[in-house]
Amino acid sequence: MPRIYDSRKRVLVTGGAGFLGSHLVDRLLRDGHEVLCVDNLFTGTKRNIEHLHADPHFEFVRHDITFPLYIEVDEIYNLACPASPIHYQYDPVQTTKTSVHGAINMLGLAKRLRCRILQASTSEVYGDPAVHPQTEDYWGHVNPIGPRSCYDEGKRCAETLFFDYHRQLGLEIKVARIFNTYGPRMHPADGRVVSNFITQALKGEPITLYGDGTQTRSFCYVDDMVDGLIKLMNSPAEFTGPVNLGNPAEFTMRELAELVRTQTNSSSSFVMLPLPQDDPKQRQPDITLAREKLGWAPTTALSEGLKPTIAYFRQHMAGTASAKK
Ligand code: NAD
Ligand code: UDP
Ligand code: UDP
């Protein structure tokens, strides 16, 4: 429904109290929009958005997107979903419901409002990839019944739903395949490699390398990722994606551990632990499409992005972390 008095765009961010979502909310508010954050606080926290309480253009609604949501907005970013293996494996049925029922509800909302909707998909749709680096036309190598499947297959099904709503009902969709992203406000107990290594290094505890530490990942700093998501949302209607968003600079987990140890001035040792089941051996985005269609490429090197991330974890451990930028 068009509004009578305010010309600001009303943007819904599901998962807006989480790590990525809260940075996206900050940026959208800075860009002059009105932002509605919908989150059930399963892995997100109010602390990530508490600095926005007094902002008249910000609103928080505690809601689980597996249930219908009737509101009025002009644009939807669908980020709600636990993202780290520990979090998404805690209640795998709910994880699949969030991806699938959540997508149906948000697509139903977008259909009623005739508004644009962006899906935060993931590099996990490629599974343990047989093609390297991964391009968007690769269909993936995913176990449908393993411990990661609730997340991987849930996200794959969500992509299917987005494309069927697009083909069948003409909805304007955008699908971002997000590769490993890091930065301040990552949950310190999410078990992800960046948060684990920094926390361990700062405490002087052994740094836990799973497997032999030769598996690779490519890490994108959160500000670069938010920039990519916004560029995708604002791209011409005919560009739906899926498009890879990530930093192509690839590191082994041992290299990451060494970098973190150096940057924290830590004397932590390394300890080798078993590799989790179905853990992808390598991951690196091919971002040619994002460069061409969005004019986007990340600008923050891992060594640079780790600095504010480590500073955040230091404050967090001292109990003085603030989400304010
Ligand atoms: P996060 O866990 O910090 O944020 C997810 C947010 O969604 C949390 O605030 C959580 O409370 C909320 N949420 C979960 N289930 C919900 C539900 N049913 N209803 C409402 N809210 C719900 O994770 P993140 O890293 O910020 O990830 C955000 C999105 O980006 C996710 O969809 C994730 O799959 C995707 N993604 C992230 C990465 C990454 O490296 N961070 C990589 C690929 C994809
Ligand atoms: N829905 C919603 N908000 C809306 C419109 C729809 O949450 O503003 C939900 C509703 O629960 C529905 C789902 O989105 O089940 C899919 O909607 P759609 O119109 O595509 O399907 P239908 O209602 O015809 O099953
Ligand atoms: N990993 C590790 N030590 C840890 C946590 C993770 O070696 O303490 C490895 C993990 O096995 C994987 C990589 O780091 O190969 C990235 O793991 P993460 O859970 O951060 O992300 P994902 O596997 O979903 O890309």
Side-chain angles (χ1 to χ4, degrees):
M1 198 203 321
R3 282 161 311 157
I4 304 172
Y5 297 115
D6 201 340
S7 59
R8 285 169 178 262
K9 195 160 32 172
R10 299 158 301 181
V11 185
L12 166 62
V13 178
T14 76
F19 157 56
L20 253 178
S22 63
H23 286 277
L24 177 61
V25 167
D26 281 344
R27 168 73 190 272
L28 290 166
L29 285 168
R30 275 205 304 280
D31 289 351
H33 303 304
E34 206 174 287
V35 179
L36 179 66
C37 163
V38 165
D39 200 298
N40 69 352
L41 301 181
F42 172 51
T43 53
T45 93
K46 278 194 186 168
R47 201 177 57 197
N48 287 340
I49 47 170
E50 70 185 358
H51 58 291
L52 302 173
H53 270 331
D55 189 327
H57 302 297
F58 175 73
E59 216 176 325
F60 170 68
V61 178
R62 190 194 286 237
H63 172 81
D64 181 333
I65 62 157
T66 62
F67 297 99
L69 178 67
Y70 286 80
I71 48 158
E72 311 303 316
V73 290
D74 303 308
E75 205 168 76
I76 303 170
Y77 288 85
N78 188 35
L79 271 65
C81 186
S84 85
I86 286 186
H87 288 157
Y88 68 66
Q89 288 167 14
Y90 174 79
D91 184 349
V93 173
Q94 172 67 12
T95 298
T96 305
K97 278 188 189 167
T98 294
S99 278
V100 178
H101 291 183
I104 291 173
N105 287 328
M106 291 308 103
L107 286 161
L109 178 64
K111 176 182 140 194
R112 180 175 60 80
L113 300 172
R114 303 304 305 167
C115 77
R116 216 171 246 209
I117 179 166
L118 180 148
Q119 167 69 356
S121 190
T122 168
S123 53
E124 294 282 340
V125 300
Y126 301 121
D128 188 1
V131 164
H132 192 76
Q134 291 79 57
T135 45
E136 290 84 354
D137 55 5
Y138 175 52
W139 290 354
H141 178 221
V142 178
N143 178 356
I145 57 165
R148 296 174 85 101
S149 311
C150 59
Y151 185 72
D152 301 7
E153 297 289 17
K155 288 284 189 180
R156 285 168 69 95
C157 184
E159 286 200 9
T160 308
L161 284 160
F162 268 69
F163 277 85
D164 282 333
Y165 268 79
H166 172 65
R167 280 185 292 255
Q168 202 175 321
L169 299 154
L171 226 62
E172 277 192 28
I173 61 153
K174 306 281 175 188
V175 175
R177 291 190 179 150
I178 300 172
F179 283 64
N180 298 60
T181 303
Y182 70 98
R185 300 186 204 157
M186 289 186 89
H187 201 293
D190 67 7
R192 282 191 259 200
V193 70
V194 173
S195 31
N196 268 11
F197 285 3
I198 295 178
T199 311
Q200 291 158 348
L202 290 177
K203 287 183 180 162
E205 292 171 355
I207 293 180
T208 52
L209 278 173
Y210 299 163
D212 58 7
T214 59
Q215 72 272 33
T216 68
R217 293 293 187 274
S218 308
F219 298 100
C220 186
Y221 188 60
V222 64
D223 289 355
D224 284 333
M225 182 57 62
V226 165
D227 197 43
L229 292 172
I230 288 178
K231 284 206 162 94
L232 174 58
M233 180 63 105
N234 296 332
S235 62
E238 62 275 13
F239 184 64
T240 56
V243 60
N244 290 338
L245 295 181
N247 191 327
E250 188 181 3
F251 294 84
T252 66
M253 293 311 98
R254 183 172 280 276
E255 285 169 338
L256 174 68
E258 270 156 11
L259 194 56
V260 167
R261 193 163 61 174
T262 307
Q263 290 207 4
T264 50
N265 290 319
S266 170
S267 53
S268 287
S269 58
F270 292 165
V271 59
M272 318 298 279
L273 294 178
L275 193 68
Q277 189 189 330
D278 296 340
D279 196 277
K281 281 173 229 26
Q282 51 182 10
R283 190 182 288 146
Q284 183 193 32
D286 180 321
I287 59 162
T288 309
L289 189 64
R291 282 182 201 276
E292 277 175 17
K293 297 287 185 184
L294 309 176
W296 176 86
T299 57
T300 314
L302 181 58
S303 55
E304 282 310 303
L306 279 177
K307 289 177 192 163
T309 312
I310 290 169
Y312 173 81
F313 276 82
R314 257 191 226 285
Q315 289 168 359
H316 196 278
M317 286 163 66
T320 56
S322 158
K324 211 161 189 154
K325 283 206 169 179

